[in-house]
Amino acid sequence: MPTPKGVKSHVLLKRLRDILAEQGEGQERLNKITSVIADSMAAEVCSIYLRRDERTLELCATEGLNPESVHQTRLRVGQGLVGRIADRARPFRTKNALSAKGFRFMPETGEEVYSSFLGVPVQRVGEVLGVLVVQNKAERQYTDDEVYGLEVVAMVIAEMAELGAFTAEGQKAMAMPHQRPFHAKGIVGQEGVAEGHVLLHEPHIVIANPVADDPEVEMYRLATAFIELQSEIDDMLSDENLSATGEDRAVFEAYKMFAHDKGWRSRMEDSIVSGLAAEVAVEKEQSNTRTRMERLTDLYLRERLHDLDDLSNRLLRILTGREQNGAEMWEGTILVARNIGPADLLDYGRKLKGVVLEEGSVGSHAVIVARALAIPLVIHAARITRKALNGDEILVDGDAGEAHLRPEESVKLAFHEKVAMREEAQEEYAALRGLPAESKDGVRIKLEMNAGLMNNLPSLESSGAEGVGLFRTELQFLLRSNFPSRSWLADTYSSVLDSAEGLPVTFRTLDIGSDKVLPYMTREEEPNPAMGWRGIRLGLDRPGLMRMQFQTLIRGAKGRPLKVMFPMVAQFDEFREARQRLLDEVAREKKQRHLMPSKLEIGVMLETPSLAFAPDQFFELADFISIGGNDLKQFFFAADRENEHVRRRYDTLNVSFLNFIEQISERCNKFDTPVSFCGEDAGRSLEALAFAAMGLRTLSMRPASIGPIKRLIRFVDLSETKKVIDEARASGSQSVRPALETWLESIGAPHR
Ligand code: PEP
Ligand code: MG
């Protein structure tokens, strides 16, 4: 076994453990700790700074500095040497602190006489809880081993803090780190509000004994955990659902490589030799990984570090003998995760009241599923997984894209008011259910809903939608780990039509490629997938796949009317070709004596600007057109719909875009081709109104938007709306939004 590094940390750690075991008050413990550390490191000063809140550090105990400054001295994270250590989550040492860049003189502490300085972050799985500092008068350079030794000690302090070893009445900075309220400002993944308790997808582990009794035993535990980890990964690699060469396999191959990485493992072994329990040794490595992850901008490397992070979680799960994720669910569960795959999310199922993700993107599959399930979802909620503990109280405000963890009373009150207002509005929408969306001047707008899962269909009745304007068939494929069979698909389509009870359903053929990647299909890396091999392009190039979907749609219709449309068509020929193949399939099915749909309508999505300028014959041939605004807008403005830097840069109510929508509407009207809008914008009040004013008479949206949009349409005069828009357009405004908003305010229209 290697020799312990530097300071005799195992002796020191045992002394710390004894302090933890003793009865006593938090402050007393901290005082003892600083004195024991100073003693064993031959330092004249040892101080512990803990986080008072997100931005402030407070000196909570010291051996050597002026005792009067305890709980008085505070600094901002990022300020001074101590603040910088907390900010960067990295140790810092210097022979001459006074002349070190960033040094901040705090006269009340009397530290100016101490020249040498070594500080390390007190952190737990990447979350900095405070800073541990030692200082000496003489100019000396602390060795690497001393830095390492102090880091190990800091790990134990972090675990002790988590156990609540330092809690004290009235001392905010000494409270358990996971007791303070935390507000996460993320972005909207799916609107809606929810209140409940946290279920962590990857739970934190509270380690009762961070110090190893016997390093030999801990070493053995780690070794057996590694054997189990490696065999788990081997099992995953031999899973027959894994494609032979696909991306999924590459992920597990990378896992395997990490699981056999000697450097990763030997760093954990070093920590055990220094006196840490195996779990804490894993956590120490995990902290380092997470700190590195935060600093990396290279997406590929970040992903690899995520893999390592996942593996650390697995190791911890093995070491602590914990259950698999999601075993314990309760009513009102709010799932908190760094990120989550669509299948995992669906596994948690309908019991989930809300989801908060630290990462995710608006177009990710998890977001698509959460939308389909109508679960309020916040994404990009920075640091939420580190701040939350299982069972914590949490409020999810999907409308504002934020979450409140362990909320204070005032926050709860405001939230409850918001919920009550929403409920009132829901009642109002319910009362409108049977009424048409007809404007004051008698223009009738048809409101349909978007869907993609069987679970969505009950909303058809409750929302008052007049049909499904867009059924995204790829969701059925995305959620599976293997290719669906023909009979399964035909049954699914049939059940969709059963649930619609005669209301029209527009099935969009598979729109895979781009962001929607099937886990079981090998895919070429594409430099720009949104403009790559996707939608109808993939369909036409894979005739077998397309035929299979046509067959199942025809069979699923079971003699009822069938509406089909194609995604991502960029030119007339693509539509003509796809349409012909569908007609050929109908003929083939007829020959085989399958029941024919009583009516077949073949339409197309308008998602590329080029299609708006297609020959007249295109508009004549299409039975209907549906504007896929999500894609159309991204190609119109050349702004990636998933890129946070640009996604909201161009307003949908931008005059150029509205003019374009108007032209499309006019061209369709000229040929009597029914046209609708089914992108997300159809479900936003001002946008929906503007589209109606531009001539669109059918809008398809998420079910929750139907009530508010109907209420607004019924309130306004559409020709007045058009006038307001025309004036704004004539005035040279870039967007008609301000004018429309002002006008709606002035007439007291319910537009939020
Ligand atoms: C669209 O692009 O507007 C659309 C409805 O399709 P999706 O969001 O599935 O790409
Ligand atoms: Mg699209």
Side-chain angles (χ1 to χ4, degrees), residues 470 472 474 508 511 516 534 605 607 627-632 641 678-680:
L470 165 67
R472 292 178 162 105
E474 60 277 1
R508 175 178 76 185
D511 185 19
K516 298 161 188 148
R534 55 172 292 202
M605 291 193 70
E607 300 183 279
I627 301 173
N630 305 337
D631 276 312
L632 186 65
R641 63 191 260 190
C678 67
E680 299 303 321

Side-chain angles (χ1 to χ4, degrees), residues 678-705:
C678 67
E680 299 303 321
D681 284 322
R684 302 192 170 106
S685 298
L686 267 63
E687 284 81 343
L689 204 54
F691 296 155
M694 295 298 101
L696 300 183
R697 294 292 171 261
T698 305
L699 303 172
S700 189
M701 59 196 72
R702 58 191 193 98
S705 293

Side-chain angles (χ1 to χ4, degrees), residues 486-498:
R486 269 188 181 67
S487 57
W488 184 88
L489 265 183
D491 286 350
T492 308
Y493 298 146
S494 175
S495 320
V496 170
L497 291 174
D498 292 347

